[in-house]
Amino acid sequence: MDDKQIEERLHAVETAQAAGAATLAGAQATQAAAQAGSSATMAAMQAGNMATMVAGSVGFVVGIFIGIAIRSAR
C-alpha cells in the first residue's frame, strides 16, 4: 500500500468521523428541543387546568348567591 492510498483512507476515516459527530450533535439538539417543548406543553396544560377549576369554582359560588337572592326575593 503506497502513501497515496493511506492518505485516501485516512481522509475517508476523518470524513466519516466528522459526519458522525455532526449527526450526534443534531440528534442531541433535537432531543433537547423535544424535551423543552414537552415541558412547555405540560406547564401550559397545568395552567389551563387550574384556570378552568378556578372559573368553575367562582361560577359555583356565584350561582349559590344568585340562588339565595332569588329565593329571598320570593
Side-chain angles (χ1 to χ4, degrees):
M1 189 181 284
D2 64 348
D3 288 343
K4 182 71 172 169
Q5 289 176 334
I6 292 173
E7 274 186 39
E8 289 175 1
R9 286 188 177 194
L10 182 59
H11 179 69
V13 168
E14 289 172 344
T15 303
Q17 286 178 338
T23 301
L24 178 61
Q28 288 173 337
T30 301
Q31 184 177 13
Q35 287 176 340
S38 177
S39 296
T41 300
M42 292 297 287
M45 183 177 69
Q46 194 170 24
N49 285 341
M50 293 302 284
T52 302
M53 287 191 294
V54 167
S57 299
V58 169
F60 178 71
V61 171
V62 169
I64 288 174
F65 283 113
I66 289 174
I68 291 172
I70 291 173
R71 185 170 182 216
S72 297
R74 288 182 175 192

